[in-house]
């Protein structure tokens, strides 16, 4: 405490940040608390902004960025649906071919067996 300032009954002598002393009412002084703890919960990764960065870097307007952001996921969804449909059709074709070969083998007699052998040979040559 600075000895040059006389003690005052209702006021307290405090030192300001610039180093000078002054009188202050103790009830008007801010109560110092410890550091505030900040808790941040991160639930998922931020979205990928590569398309936006490329579009903005090449001087394309905001409309192209918005279109890329909007139609990009739609395009991925459409391509996934098409791939799933094609996979299902390929599976159905394979099952149908197996069924036809099995029926021809069992019903066709010697001609059916010869036909199934030629089909299996053709498959081996191709694959």
């Amino acid at each position: 405490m600075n000895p040059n300032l006389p003690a005052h009954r209702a006021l307290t002598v405090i030192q300001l940040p610039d180093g000078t002393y002054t009188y202050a009412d103790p009830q008007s002084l801010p109560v110092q608390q410890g550091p505030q703890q900040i808790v941040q919960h991160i639930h998922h990764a931020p979205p990928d902004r590569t398309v936006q960065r490329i579009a903005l870097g090449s001087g394309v307007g905001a409309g192209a960025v918005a279109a890329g952001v909007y139609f990009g996921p739609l395009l991925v969804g459409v391509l996934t649906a098409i791939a799933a449909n094609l996979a299902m059709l390929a599976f159905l074709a394979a099952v149908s071919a197996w069924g036809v070969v099995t029926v021809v083998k069992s019903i066709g007699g010697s001609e059916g067996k010869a036909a199934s052998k030629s089909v299996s040979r053709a498959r081996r040559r191709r694959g």
Side-chain angles (χ1 to χ4, degrees):
M1 196 149 85
N2 189 351
N4 298 334
L5 292 176
H8 196 277
R9 283 184 242 158
L11 300 176
T12 303
V13 178
I14 61 166
Q15 184 177 10
L16 298 175
D18 63 352
T20 59
Y21 292 91
T22 186
Y23 290 109
D25 185 11
Q27 291 159 352
S28 69
L29 293 175
V31 179
Q32 292 184 356
Q33 298 175 350
Q36 185 178 8
Q37 184 178 10
I38 298 173
V39 178
Q40 183 177 12
H41 298 282
I42 299 173
H43 296 285
H44 56 80
D48 186 17
R49 307 255 186 236
T50 306
V51 174
Q52 295 167 349
R53 288 190 187 109
I54 291 171
L56 290 174
S58 62
V60 180
V65 174
V69 169
Y70 183 75
F71 290 113
L74 287 177
L75 180 64
V76 170
V78 167
L79 292 176
T80 304
I82 291 171
N85 287 338
L86 289 176
M88 180 60 82
L89 288 175
F91 177 73
L92 289 176
V95 168
S96 299
W98 174 79
V100 168
V101 168
T102 305
V103 168
V104 168
K105 261 189 196 180
S106 63
I107 294 177
S110 62
E111 293 176 4
K113 290 179 184 177
S116 67
K117 284 182 183 179
S118 66
V119 168
S120 66
R121 286 181 190 146
R123 283 187 190 164
R124 285 186 206 147
R125 288 181 197 150
R126 216 188 287 167

